[in-house]
Amino acid sequence: MITYPVIKKGAAIGVTAASAGVGPQSVELFGQAITRMEEKGYHVLCGDTVFRHDKAKSASGLVRGKEFNQMMSSDEVDLILPPWGGELLIEMLEHIDFSQVKNKWIMGFSDISLLLLVITLRTGIATAHGPSLGDLRGEVIDKTTAKWETVLSTASGESVIQRSSPTDWKTVSGEAVTLQGRLLGGCIDVIRHIIGTPYGDVRHFQENFIHQEPILWYLENCELNTADLRRSLVQMKLAGWFDNCSGVMFGRSGSNTPMENYTAEDVYRELTEELQVPVVYDLDYGHIPPQMTLINGAYAEVKVSGGAGTITQYFYE
């Protein structure tokens, strides 16, 4: 059974730097994001890690884990929203007290997607792959990214639809496709590193939380060349992550650098041939905006046709 949090107007946002913190050069930009949230009526609570950053992280994994545990267990925090991604979130996983994880939204992407995936796999609580707080600093935000509030306000048992931006969604087959399944995913650069660890037990999630319903994977590539992307996907397959998979989606990426004429399209084609499931790509999420909000654990129906598409998420238990 999947549990869905819900936010309401005036919610308290707990900001903890689970990966990178806010360095001196970014304080002004980050301050704009806080202002925007306060203008919307949210109450912003920043933890001690937020305005710290050195050696590729805000603090040690232990310190970050303790602050996350405090915010997760606190009745004064309704939503946890890190300032942005980073590099070394994996260091804090062993310090998370999963017994203290409450039914509240955690949202972010990039390195934060590792935290999101682990929380959903271990607890069955839905998590939100969407914009980080720093991405919401603009006076005007595109309607695709701005949909995060609607998605996180959707009640259990209801559904929410998101439509493609004026980009070009693609299918490997070149034909219209429909995909359905329970969403799981994140930034492949980081989530691949929990394969084979207690934090990446996809089979346990399938058996205990979604009762063997098919998984619809959404992935995005931050920095991998195509050979490394391919290696990562093969590792996921060999680890059983693609067992009972109904399809794979890829967000747009500026880092699909070909390796000796080996392109991302080659990778996608090989994956669909091996798994015998539809593969779609260049969707609206990842490191190239705009950014849809995708919910780990939600049942989704994805339709792609003629370069456009929709993602409908059903908040079913």
Side-chain angles (χ1 to χ4, degrees):
M1 183 177 74
I2 302 298
T3 305
Y4 300 93
V6 63
I7 60 165
K8 298 179 180 179
K9 286 189 175 181
I13 299 174
V15 187
T16 180
S19 185
V22 179
Q25 73 279 7
S26 303
V27 170
E28 184 177 348
L29 288 176
F30 185 69
Q32 294 172 6
I34 293 177
T35 298
R36 298 292 172 259
M37 291 297 102
E38 292 176 340
E39 290 173 347
K40 286 178 170 288
Y42 295 105
H43 182 44
V44 180
L45 304 170
C46 289
D48 293 337
T49 62
V50 173
F51 294 102
R52 299 167 56 182
H53 186 79
D54 187 41
K55 299 186 185 299
K57 52 195 169 186
S58 64
S60 68
L62 175 61
V63 169
R64 284 177 280 151
K66 285 184 175 180
E67 186 170 274
F68 175 80
N69 293 336
Q70 291 168 356
M71 288 195 174
M72 181 53 71
S73 62
S74 173
D75 292 332
E76 297 180 356
V77 174
D78 303 306
L79 161 68
I80 294 180
L81 190 53
W84 32 57
E87 300 289 345
L88 294 171
L89 184 139
I90 196 170
E91 293 180 334
M92 69 173 274
L93 294 182
E94 63 184 306
H95 304 294
I96 294 175
D97 184 351
F98 290 95
S99 68
Q100 296 296 313
V101 173
K102 291 190 175 182
N103 188 31
K104 60 182 71 176
W105 284 118
I106 313 166
M107 185 171 73
F109 75 109
S110 191
D111 203 24
I112 304 302
S113 70
L114 177 57
L115 173 63
L116 306 178
L117 181 59
V118 169
I119 292 294
T120 298
L121 289 179
R122 291 289 291 265
T123 70
I125 296 175
T127 52
H129 186 279
S132 298
L133 182 54
D135 302 302
L136 301 174
R137 63 183 181 272
E139 293 184 11
V140 178
I141 297 176
D142 68 88
K143 64 180 181 180
T144 301
T145 304
K147 192 83 171 183
W148 72 270
E149 287 184 281
T150 301
V151 177
L152 269 56
S153 300
T154 302
S156 180
E158 297 182 353
S159 63
V160 59
I161 186 170
Q162 297 175 90
R163 303 182 187 280
S164 58
S165 66
T167 55
D168 188 14
W169 289 16
K170 301 180 179 71
T171 68
V172 168
S173 67
E175 302 175 351
V177 300
T178 298
L179 306 87
Q180 295 177 316
R182 292 280 183 172
L183 289 174
L184 277 184
C187 179
I188 194 169
D189 307 47
V190 295
I191 66 171
R192 60 181 177 164
H193 292 299
I194 58 169
I195 291 174
T197 74
Y199 304 102
D201 195 342
V202 174
R203 183 169 289 110
H204 177 269
F205 174 79
Q206 289 177 305
E207 293 174 352
N208 292 275
F209 294 113
I210 62 171
H211 309 297
Q212 301 295 354
E213 287 185 86
I215 292 176
L216 176 53
W217 283 96
Y218 69 90
L219 303 169
E220 64 104 357
N221 173 18
C222 178
E223 297 178 335
L224 308 182
N225 66 40
T226 53
D228 202 359
L229 176 62
R230 172 63 175 160
R231 282 194 296 266
S232 301
L233 292 167
V234 171
Q235 184 180 7
M236 291 175 68
K237 181 185 70 171
L238 296 177
W241 276 27
F242 290 135
D243 291 352
N244 199 20
C245 166
S246 59
V248 186
M249 306 186 296
F250 290 89
R252 286 188 305 279
S253 174
S255 300
N256 286 327
T257 307
M259 175 66 70
E260 299 176 359
N261 296 323
Y262 186 44
T263 68
E265 288 75 15
D266 293 327
V267 175
Y268 302 152
R269 185 182 64 256
E270 290 172 345
L271 186 65
T272 195
E273 291 172 352
E274 290 176 352
L275 302 182
Q276 289 297 296
V277 298
V279 173
V280 299
Y281 59 102
D282 286 358
L283 274 62
D284 293 320
Y285 63 87
H287 283 73
I288 297 178
Q291 176 87 278
M292 284 183 164
T293 300
L294 304 178
I295 303 302
N296 286 315
Y299 188 87
E301 181 180 60
V302 180
K303 295 183 178 182
V304 182
S305 177
T310 59
I311 297 179
T312 304
Q313 297 178 90
Y314 301 89
F315 288 14
Y316 295 162
E317 294 181 350

